[in-house]
Amino acid sequence: MNKKTLAIFLVIANFFTQISLGQDKNALDYPIADSNQATSIFISNNNDPLIEWAVNELADDIKEITGKRPEIVKTNTFTQKGIYIGEAGNALFQNKTISKELKGQWEKFSIKKEKDNLLVTGSDVRGTVYAVFEIVERLGVSPWKWWADVNPIKKENLILKLPQNGIISSPSVQYRGIFLNDEDWGLEPWAAKTFEPEVGNIGPKTYEKIFQLLLRLKANTIWPAMHPCTKGFFTVSGNKEMAQKYHIVIGSSHAEPMLRNNVDEWKHEIYGDYNYFTNSSKVNKYWQDRLDELKGANNQTVMTMGMRGVHDSKMEGAKDVKEAMVMVEKIIGIQREMLSKTFQKPLAAIPQAFVPYKEVLELYDNGLKVPDDVTLVWPDDNYGYIRRLSDEEEQKRSGGSGVYYHLSYWGRPHDYLWLNTVQPGLIWSELMKAYENGAKKMWIVNVGDIKPGEYNMELFLDLAWDTKSIKSDGLNQYLKNWVGREFSHNMAEELSAVFEEYYRLAFLRKPEYMGWSQTEPTTQIKLSDFTQEELWRRIEAYNSLMRKVDLMTSFVPQERKDAWFQLVVYPIKGAAYMNHKFLYWNLEALTTDLKQKENYLNLSAEAFVKIKELTDFYNNGMSKGKWNGMMSMHPRNLPVFDSIKASAIPQETLAKPISKTIITIQGNKFVANKGVKNYRWGAINGFGYSNNAVTLFPFKHSYFKSEKPSASYEFEVEKAGNYEIEVHFVPTHANKFDHEVGVQIDQTEIKSFSTNTKDRDNTWKQNVLRNSAIIKVPVSISAKGKHTVRIEVNQTGIVLDYITVITL
């Protein structure tokens, strides 16, 4: 597509977008500002300071768009036309019907037109603030206004569009937030050297910006940064007070019980070993000191219970699983006694969480008892696949359950700390599965440094606020809406397609994995498993994405050029050039032509230089250096990020086999399917290599014994012979490691296979690096023509991506 063609396409897309918007007969317009004035905002005399802050943010955003700042008036009566904002329980709204509807609710809000007024009401402080930012976003202001420089676009007339009956909204998940983690390569150096040099670390000025972002995204919880490079949250003056100011709930990670940052706060030379078997009195005092610090203050917290090692390691001192299990139960009992005595509250009124991460899950599965009112926060396997969910009995617990999910990770088999490429369909699928199986109390997402994970972070938090807001076929539309809001609706169709392919290509192989190396222990890069045909296909796919981005750049509004670079150009071109660096190196190894070998090596070296140039511009050229230190092109200095030296080139040419795949069938292309009970097969768009992986709906867990759901597929071969059927599943987990599928070719005997891996074995490592669990079924076909593959499953949660037929 050339620039002229793209321009015509964008004009047509914009035309139909405007028609679509104009045809919304149920929309209700409320004027915010015109060429003469801005509508006044009225708040009650006794609002919480946080509500006043949010109202002033709204007024400032309106001024940035229109040049006119609304007057903010304090009142306890409805006397003039305007926007009235406040908590349902205050004097201003006490006679309104909505006040009764919101009373006693958690973070619920209402926005509705009443005569000439706009009533913006929340059940509590945060609910009111979320209502304000709902308006802000509907006016076209991105939550990423500051964090990604999505500057407001000027307008003379500003109108708020609402549903005819207004909006009433409340969260699906009670505690929703982020974990700042592996911050060594972005957030911490940026804060220390660029944004907050007076502290020289992540301090209150940085956390204030983070808390403001969380409120714009309707989140309420933080697990603060906790790596050795970062000072403990409570040790930095002003951090705790900043959380209080913004009504942010403070929690801590799976390795930090009782809100203690062990890597910074546990001083071995002072306290001795962090070993409860030999040093319990010092450990208890260490925990109690933090509780005493929080006592009587206006803090909102969720206490992580139990004990692991100082950092991300197992508990010290236990000889075996049984001894560890007994000790952790004892520790939780002692911790709860501390909480009850310190805060003088019933334990059920003190939010507590238990995170069965890594080896702790083994303790739980072996019978570890966790008190009923403690929330079970189920982690994924660090690669986006939730390891376990509450069964029917666990779903009855008063403390409920939640999830701890990764969009960024440091560890084996390989980090993914550079670009954010977790496929949105995977996020949606795993979170919806968790929610339908009771995970409604707490959702925490590991966002690394926040940037460059803006899109997926917002997707996660939007789902946490309203799990019904995106359907299985709605991810593409959600993406279109997002890029339309960030840049322009007239490029939403084209740009969303670019991002869909960006995520799909990374699902096949993340940029960080292109060296086919691993870490912990770190191994050197090696040639890929791609055939020559696949190498060229992947190069061209990324080239196509870069061409489209370059063509669209000139259509980006001037106010959002910096946002365009950080949200679009850097991730897409960074991924493309990382692929080029390795793919051209692979091609060099496959050719005997010396001139061509030199050309491929030059192209590989050029790709490395391009990444360097992009990163330099991100830190120094973009946004006038605002983000200097935020982006690293070599997190942890792993071999995959280096330029490829001549010594890394194999001396002999490697003969790669020509692909023998003759047929590929997408998971949603079944010719017949059978559901059982109320379960049916359905596709999730934007998920899998196929972008349409299929699974059973609903996600509420169920086993199938005598009668099993199945999906059937047809393929045609030109001659009889020996073939191999490969069935590619997404590597999801079952509580008992018992996902089982049956594969039947034509009328032959059905063959059963397990698709699960236990713990972190080599098969699991291979599966998460390629996002695929592959079953191979050899078959001898006696006649040419059409044949059938039927796949059956023993339970929900199994996701079928695609099927290939290969000649042998």
Side-chain angles (χ1 to χ4, degrees):
M1 184 181 292
N2 59 35
K3 193 167 183 177
K4 183 177 179 181
T5 304
L6 180 66
I8 294 170
F9 174 85
L10 294 177
V11 169
I12 294 172
N14 186 48
F15 173 74
F16 282 108
T17 298
Q18 297 306 318
I19 288 178
S20 176
L21 291 173
Q23 287 178 343
D24 186 359
K25 296 178 181 179
N26 294 319
L28 182 150
D29 291 350
Y30 187 85
I32 300 296
D34 58 26
S35 57
N36 297 315
Q37 62 183 0
T39 302
S40 296
I41 300 173
F42 299 91
I43 60 175
S44 66
N45 291 313
N46 59 345
N47 267 310
D48 186 280
L50 187 65
I51 295 174
E52 294 195 14
W53 164 78
V55 170
N56 276 282
E57 288 287 291
L58 169 61
D60 289 343
D61 287 342
I62 292 170
K63 183 180 179 181
E64 279 198 69
I65 298 171
T66 67
K68 300 172 186 65
R69 192 179 196 275
E71 183 183 8
I72 300 173
V73 181
K74 290 192 174 183
T75 182
N76 283 329
T77 60
F78 285 77
T79 57
Q80 301 178 52
K81 172 187 173 183
I83 304 169
Y84 287 81
I85 300 175
E87 284 184 79
N90 68 28
L92 186 58
F93 292 94
Q94 63 182 356
N95 295 322
K96 297 294 180 180
T97 303
I98 191 63
S99 180
K100 296 178 182 178
E101 294 178 21
L102 297 179
K103 187 178 179 180
Q105 300 294 306
W106 176 272
E107 298 178 346
K108 191 172 184 179
F109 68 77
S110 167
I111 303 171
K112 66 177 183 178
K113 184 179 178 183
E114 185 180 88
K115 297 180 180 178
D116 290 331
N117 296 324
L118 187 70
L119 274 56
V120 183
T121 325
S123 63
D124 50 24
V125 173
R126 279 196 298 262
T128 309
V129 169
Y130 297 149
V132 172
F133 287 122
E134 177 74 20
I135 293 172
V136 166
E137 187 177 341
R138 285 174 177 264
L139 293 176
V141 179
S142 170
W144 301 97
K145 169 188 168 183
W146 191 89
W147 273 95
D149 303 305
V150 189
N151 300 313
I153 295 174
K154 306 296 184 184
K155 293 180 182 177
E156 187 173 86
N157 296 314
L158 192 59
I159 295 173
L160 175 66
K161 291 186 175 293
L162 292 172
Q164 194 70 34
N165 296 321
I167 299 170
I168 292 184
S169 187
S170 59
S172 297
V173 178
Q174 185 173 5
Y175 295 103
R176 313 165 306 283
I178 63 172
F179 177 26
L180 303 171
N181 195 220
D182 309 326
E183 67 276 9
D184 315 48
W185 302 96
L187 188 63
E188 195 281 331
W190 168 76
K193 297 175 183 177
T194 302
F195 190 66
E196 203 166 4
E198 64 275 15
V199 174
N201 209 263
I202 302 174
K205 184 179 174 183
T206 303
Y207 274 114
E208 179 169 37
K209 288 297 184 184
I210 293 170
F211 297 158
Q212 290 174 353
L213 173 66
L214 291 180
L215 292 175
R216 283 181 178 262
L217 292 171
K218 300 188 183 73
N220 60 16
T221 305
I222 187 84
W223 287 2
M226 46 74 75
H227 263 222
C229 65
T230 305
K231 294 177 183 176
F233 181 83
F234 288 97
T235 69
V236 179
S237 177
N239 280 355
K240 177 179 66 175
E241 292 74 18
M242 198 60 74
Q244 293 169 356
K245 175 182 176 181
Y246 286 97
H247 290 234
I248 296 297
V249 180
I250 309 170
S252 55
S253 76
H254 48 79
E256 304 173 281
M258 306 292 272
L259 292 182
R260 272 294 197 175
N261 180 309
N262 297 328
V263 295
D264 184 51
E265 296 184 298
W266 181 266
K267 309 297 183 184
H268 187 272
E269 64 277 12
I270 297 174
Y271 302 125
D273 293 338
Y274 190 64
N275 185 324
Y276 209 84
F277 291 89
T278 61
N279 197 18
S280 61
S281 61
K282 292 284 182 66
V283 175
N284 285 340
K285 184 178 185 305
Y286 171 71
W287 289 336
Q288 185 61 54
D289 286 347
R290 175 53 36 81
L291 300 186
D292 291 340
E293 182 183 345
L294 297 172
K295 182 172 57 175
N298 183 27
N299 298 291
Q300 298 182 64
T301 63
V302 175
M303 293 287 171
T304 295
M305 311 302 289
M307 187 176 185
R308 295 185 72 212
V310 168
H311 195 32
D312 187 5
S313 58
K314 66 181 181 180
M315 185 177 64
E316 296 177 23
K319 296 175 184 177
D320 52 32
V321 170
K322 184 176 180 180
E323 191 172 61
M325 186 175 69
V326 171
M327 180 55 80
V328 171
E329 283 189 9
K330 178 182 176 182
I331 288 169
I332 291 174
I334 292 169
Q335 290 171 335
R336 283 164 63 81
E337 188 176 348
M338 288 181 183
L339 291 174
S340 181
K341 287 183 177 179
T342 303
F343 297 123
Q344 296 292 301
K345 291 181 180 179
L347 282 166
I350 303 173
Q352 302 156 65
F354 180 76
V355 189
Y357 186 73
K358 291 183 179 176
E359 82 288 342
V360 182
L361 180 59
E362 184 180 6
L363 303 185
Y364 185 85
D365 284 341
N366 274 275
L368 174 70
K369 298 293 188 294
V370 179
D372 187 75
D373 59 302
V374 176
T375 303
L376 297 174
V377 181
W378 302 114
D380 65 359
D381 62 358
N382 304 314
Y383 292 84
Y385 301 101
I386 297 174
R387 182 59 203 85
R388 194 191 189 289
L389 291 170
S390 296
D391 60 26
E392 287 190 6
E393 282 303 309
E394 289 162 337
Q395 288 176 38
K396 299 174 184 176
R397 294 170 52 89
S398 62
S401 67
V403 294
Y404 165 47
Y405 199 79
H406 285 78
L407 298 177
S408 173
Y409 182 64
W410 167 330
R412 65 181 184 270
H414 204 288
D415 306 356
Y416 54 104
L417 300 174
W418 180 39
L419 301 179
N420 195 288
T421 54
V422 179
Q423 197 176 33
L426 172 60
I427 298 169
W428 185 91
S429 177
E430 289 293 282
L431 293 180
M432 292 304 95
K433 180 173 65 177
Y435 189 80
E436 290 190 33
N437 286 280
K440 302 178 181 181
K441 190 73 172 181
M442 175 183 286
W443 284 13
I444 302 293
V445 60
N446 186 326
V447 296
D449 299 307
I450 297 178
K451 302 175 71 63
E454 295 92 343
Y455 175 74
N456 276 344
M457 176 176 159
E458 184 171 350
L459 170 64
F460 179 96
L461 293 174
D462 276 355
L463 285 170
W465 177 263
D466 184 2
T467 55
K468 296 179 181 179
S469 62
I470 309 172
K471 306 298 183 185
S472 62
D473 61 352
L475 280 161
N476 292 345
Q477 187 60 51
Y478 177 88
L479 179 54
K480 289 175 189 175
N481 293 343
W482 193 86
V483 297
R485 183 196 70 195
E486 301 307 277
F487 302 108
S488 172
H489 287 287
N490 65 4
M491 63 170 62
E493 190 79 31
E494 184 76 4
L495 184 54
S496 63
V498 166
F499 271 112
E500 286 170 28
E501 181 67 355
Y502 163 80
Y503 286 116
R504 193 190 72 84
L505 290 169
F507 193 75
L508 176 61
R509 197 79 181 182
K510 285 184 180 293
E512 294 91 339
Y513 304 164
M514 286 302 297
W516 257 257
S517 49
Q518 295 192 18
T519 191
E520 297 182 11
T522 297
T523 62
Q524 294 304 307
I525 62 170
K526 62 181 180 179
L527 295 172
S528 76
D529 291 340
F530 291 139
T531 64
Q532 189 166 353
E533 177 188 3
E534 289 169 331
L535 294 171
W536 280 116
R537 189 163 62 235
R538 197 167 173 87
I539 287 171
E540 178 48 38
Y542 275 110
N543 282 340
S544 175
L545 295 186
M546 289 197 292
R547 285 193 297 268
K548 291 174 181 177
V549 167
D550 286 341
L551 286 170
M552 281 186 278
T553 296
S554 62
F555 295 95
V556 177
Q558 188 61 40
E559 299 96 326
R560 299 192 173 176
K561 292 291 188 184
D562 288 331
W564 176 258
F565 184 84
Q566 56 200 288
L567 295 177
V568 179
V569 176
Y570 189 84
I572 288 173
K573 290 195 173 183
Y577 289 129
M578 179 65 88
N579 273 266
H580 282 183
K581 185 176 76 172
F582 285 100
L583 297 171
Y584 283 122
W585 174 50
N586 277 243
L587 287 170
E588 186 278 338
L590 293 174
T591 183
T592 56
D593 186 308
L594 294 179
K595 187 174 181 180
Q596 193 64 275
K597 288 174 83 73
E598 183 181 4
N599 179 49
Y600 288 145
L601 282 181
N602 287 338
L603 289 170
S604 174
E606 181 182 311
F608 174 80
V609 172
K610 291 288 188 182
I611 296 171
K612 192 173 181 181
E613 291 172 351
L614 286 168
T615 306
D616 181 67
F617 185 77
Y618 194 110
N619 289 314
N620 301 305
M622 177 187 76
S623 305
K624 299 178 182 179
K626 173 181 175 180
W627 299 109
N628 187 21
M630 179 60 82
M631 185 56 63
S632 171
M633 61 177 283
H634 50 77
R636 282 230 288 166
N637 295 316
L638 297 181
V640 69
F641 297 112
D642 296 336
S643 60
I644 297 175
K645 306 293 191 294
S647 60
I649 307 301
Q651 296 301 308
E652 73 281 358
T653 299
L654 301 180
K656 282 280 185 179
I658 298 173
S659 173
K660 294 182 291 186
T661 301
I662 60 169
I663 298 167
T664 300
I665 311 167
Q666 293 188 7
N668 67 331
K669 299 298 183 182
F670 41 71
V671 294
N673 71 90
K674 182 179 78 170
V676 174
K677 303 175 185 175
N678 64 324
Y679 291 91
R680 59 176 178 80
W681 290 94
I684 302 169
N685 74 11
F687 189 17
Y689 299 180
S690 64
N691 258 340
N692 281 289
V694 297
T695 192
L696 288 169
F697 289 78
F699 291 165
K700 177 75 173 176
H701 185 258
S702 181
Y703 281 103
F704 310 105
K705 295 180 180 178
S706 56
E707 186 181 12
K708 297 180 179 179
S710 64
S712 298
Y713 302 84
E714 282 186 351
F715 65 94
E716 190 169 351
V717 296
E718 295 180 355
K719 60 180 180 180
N722 293 322
Y723 294 84
E724 186 171 71
I725 310 296
E726 286 190 354
V727 188
H728 294 249
F729 295 91
V730 175
T732 55
H733 298 293
N735 283 7
K736 299 178 180 178
F737 305 100
D738 58 352
H739 277 167
E740 188 176 282
V741 302
V743 181
Q744 183 180 37
I745 313 298
D746 294 332
Q747 300 304 313
T748 61
E749 183 180 356
I750 192 164
K751 296 181 179 179
S752 295
F753 301 87
S754 171
T755 63
N756 280 156
T757 55
K758 192 169 184 178
D759 299 323
R760 309 176 98 198
D761 64 13
N762 286 330
T763 302
W764 170 79
K765 291 177 182 178
Q766 189 177 22
N767 286 353
V768 295
L769 289 173
R770 67 189 179 191
N771 285 310
S772 191
I774 305 171
I775 288 172
K776 299 182 179 182
V777 185
V779 59
S780 179
I781 295 178
S782 58
K784 69 175 185 177
K786 287 187 177 181
H787 297 271
T788 302
V789 182
R790 189 175 70 88
I791 314 293
E792 67 176 29
V793 298
N794 75 328
Q795 60 186 289
T796 55
I798 298 171
V799 182
L800 173 58
D801 193 356
Y802 68 102
I803 300 167
T804 57
V805 181
I806 301 172
T807 58
L808 294 179

